[in-house]
Amino acid sequence: DGGITQSPKYLFRKEGQNVTLSCEQNLNHDAMYWYRQDPGQGLRLIYYSQIVNDFQKGDIAEGYSVSREKKESFPLTVTSAQKNPTAFYLCASSSEGFYGYTFGSGTRLTVV
Amino acid sequence: GIQVEQSPPDLILQEGANSTLRCNFSDSVNNLQWFHQNPWGQLINLFYIPSGTKQNGRLSATTVATERYSLLYISSSQTTDSGVYFCAGILTGGGNKLTFGTGTQLKVEL
């Protein structure tokens, strides 16, 4: 089945550590996105990529980094510069013609 | 960017009741989507509805782009409909970037 796979589902990070969240899609979609969701809130865009080897900052990119070396993969690194990283992170993709987004099942990141 | 406002913020229904959720957006949008987020966090695409009306089982949606609003109708609600409903839109000329509303938290009780 085609879809988006995010891993891990749960992730714990110590203060000062960088962690990387994985997002892989087999939908042959060109565009991929990372969103952050805080409790009781909507989704806010962190980074997005519309083509391999290119990506743009979203509304809350500070403290995050991404890469897009393959069409299928769009990993997100939460760096130590992100002061409040505890949140639910969702990855999504869309096709060039845009008939809607498909989301992964998310990663819950907690700072311990 | 565009602002997306949803109402009501919270809603409690008895099983079998009908409801209407509203989404207003501040500027013109090319596309509008409705999502359901289940209690485990999974976002499911309900409708891609830039304009007009669509129906899928007990759910239907209507978007009037010229008046900048969209409505999601839930009929004969079931406990499995519980969760958060989000609408999201793309600003004209904004690529494929979706801006989300803050959602409507729905609880359906027996």
Side-chain angles (χ1 to χ4, degrees):
Chain A
D1 289 335
I4 298 181
T5 301
Q6 289 187 241
S7 61
K9 288 190 180 302
Y10 300 94
L11 186 57
F12 297 91
R13 191 194 92 168
K14 294 182 179 179
E15 294 280 353
Q17 278 186 337
N18 294 351
V19 291
T20 298
L21 283 58
S22 171
C23 178
E24 303 276 334
Q25 55 101 357
N26 61 3
L27 299 165
N28 199 34
H29 284 172
D30 295 300
M32 298 185 73
Y33 315 81
W34 275 105
Y35 284 86
R36 168 179 172 143
Q37 186 179 28
D38 293 286
Q41 303 293 317
L43 279 68
R44 293 182 291 167
L45 182 64
I46 305 173
Y47 267 98
Y48 65 102
S49 168
Q50 295 184 314
I51 195 170
V52 174
N53 292 324
D54 187 44
F55 48 83
Q56 287 79 40
K57 293 181 179 180
D59 301 320
I60 55 166
E62 185 174 353
Y64 300 97
S65 66
V66 293
S67 62
R68 186 84 187 277
E69 298 177 0
K70 299 186 300 182
K71 186 175 185 177
E72 302 80 14
S73 179
F74 192 41
L76 174 73
T77 297
V78 184
T79 75
S80 57
Q82 171 49 240
K83 298 305 179 186
N84 186 21
T86 295
F88 187 49
Y89 291 87
L90 286 154
C91 178
S93 68
S94 67
S95 61
E96 182 178 354
F98 192 78
Y99 296 103
Y101 274 26
T102 299
F103 277 88
S105 57
T107 294
R108 294 192 185 276
L109 173 63
T110 303
V111 174
V112 296
Chain B
I2 62 172
Q3 302 298 315
V4 182
E5 296 180 354
Q6 292 187 243
S7 61
D10 299 280
L11 185 59
I12 299 176
L13 298 175
Q14 293 295 311
E15 195 173 44
N18 303 328
S19 65
T20 301
L21 281 56
R22 187 176 179 101
C23 175
N24 292 331
F25 32 92
S26 63
D27 209 333
S28 62
V29 294
N30 279 336
N31 303 284
L32 192 108
Q33 288 185 247
W34 282 96
F35 295 90
H36 175 225
Q37 187 170 37
N38 65 25
W40 298 272
Q42 177 74 52
L43 271 167
I44 305 298
N45 188 318
L46 297 175
F47 293 102
Y48 166 72
I49 184 162
S51 64
T53 298
K54 290 186 178 180
Q55 182 160 3
N56 184 3
R58 297 180 295 103
L59 301 181
S60 65
T62 296
T63 295
V64 184
T66 54
E67 297 186 21
R68 301 178 184 173
Y69 74 87
S70 184
L71 302 173
L72 178 69
Y73 306 95
I74 303 174
S75 64
S76 304
S77 58
Q78 300 176 358
T79 56
T80 52
D81 295 332
S82 297
V84 184
Y85 290 81
F86 291 104
C87 68
I90 296 176
L91 179 65
T92 302
N96 285 352
K97 295 183 295 176
L98 279 178
T99 296
F100 282 78
T102 52
T104 292
Q105 176 83 52
L106 173 65
K107 183 177 181 181
V108 180
E109 299 178 334
L110 292 172

